[in-house]
Amino acid sequence: MTIKNTEKVSKIKKIFYLVSIGIALGILALFLLDHVLYALAALGVFSLWYLYFHVADYQYIEFSDEDDKIVLNYYKVISFGGKAYNSIEFPKNRLRKVHFENSFFGKLSDLTLIIKTQRGIAEYPTVSLAGLNLEDRKRIENVLNSIIQS
């Protein structure tokens, strides 16, 4: 099974940049019209807008459990600077624990994978699943939990 969220993250990215450009142009217009107080308020709105996307940490996700191994490719959708492409790949039989952390009324979800290595137990960095819909999150959770139980 392969799960990708390409369409959803491209929509999220477009919305973020379009609204950000709109707010920036509004702030510029307010400064040019000498409405400094309103411009500063709009700057505060933009800061909250950016903070939300920073906290939500929307990521492109490609999850696959084929060929007796787990592959998880991911990168941040909204990032200023270069993209940091990350990948997690390991045999299914090495998976020991899975932590799903839900927050913000279940809208934001994080995944932490813990595997057995030759040197002991290793914990991968947390991956945000906020860019996936609830159905895909449940499918990933069911697959990983079934691997642990077998």
Side-chain angles (χ1 to χ4, degrees):
M1 169 183 69
T2 301
I3 296 174
K4 295 180 184 180
N5 64 344
T6 310
E7 295 88 21
K8 186 172 181 179
V9 295
S10 68
K11 184 191 287 186
I12 289 169
K13 194 173 189 175
K14 286 177 187 174
I15 289 170
F16 174 78
Y17 286 117
L18 287 174
V19 171
S20 295
I21 289 170
I23 293 172
L25 291 174
I27 292 170
L28 179 63
L30 288 170
F31 270 123
L32 292 175
L33 295 172
D34 275 340
H35 296 293
V36 176
L37 191 60
Y38 292 121
L40 293 175
L43 192 60
V45 168
F46 177 76
S47 298
L48 291 175
W49 175 255
Y50 178 76
L51 181 66
Y52 169 76
F53 278 91
H54 184 70
V55 169
D57 193 25
Y58 289 107
Q59 294 185 2
Y60 165 78
I61 303 286
E62 183 179 348
F63 175 84
S64 173
D65 67 337
E66 297 168 1
D67 299 330
D68 217 24
K69 63 181 168 180
I70 300 291
V71 178
L72 180 63
N73 298 314
Y74 61 99
Y75 65 86
K76 288 184 179 242
V77 174
I78 307 298
S79 65
F80 294 101
K83 283 193 167 114
Y85 295 95
N86 299 298
S87 184
I88 296 172
E89 184 175 337
F90 58 88
K92 288 181 182 179
N93 61 357
R94 295 207 175 198
L95 184 63
R96 293 296 177 253
K97 285 186 181 180
V98 178
H99 293 291
F100 286 91
E101 219 176 297
N102 293 318
S103 60
F104 201 63
F105 307 108
K107 297 288 184 191
L108 306 179
S109 181
D110 292 332
L111 166 66
T112 305
L113 299 169
I114 300 171
I115 67 164
K116 174 86 169 118
T117 67
Q118 293 175 348
R119 296 182 183 176
I121 301 294
E123 182 176 313
Y124 279 105
T126 301
V127 178
S128 173
L129 301 178
L132 290 171
N133 59 35
L134 187 59
E135 179 183 306
D136 287 339
R137 284 187 235 164
K138 290 291 183 192
R139 287 173 47 201
I140 291 174
E141 185 174 357
N142 291 337
V143 166
L144 293 175
N145 285 330
S146 70
I147 292 170
I148 291 173
Q149 293 172 355
S150 61

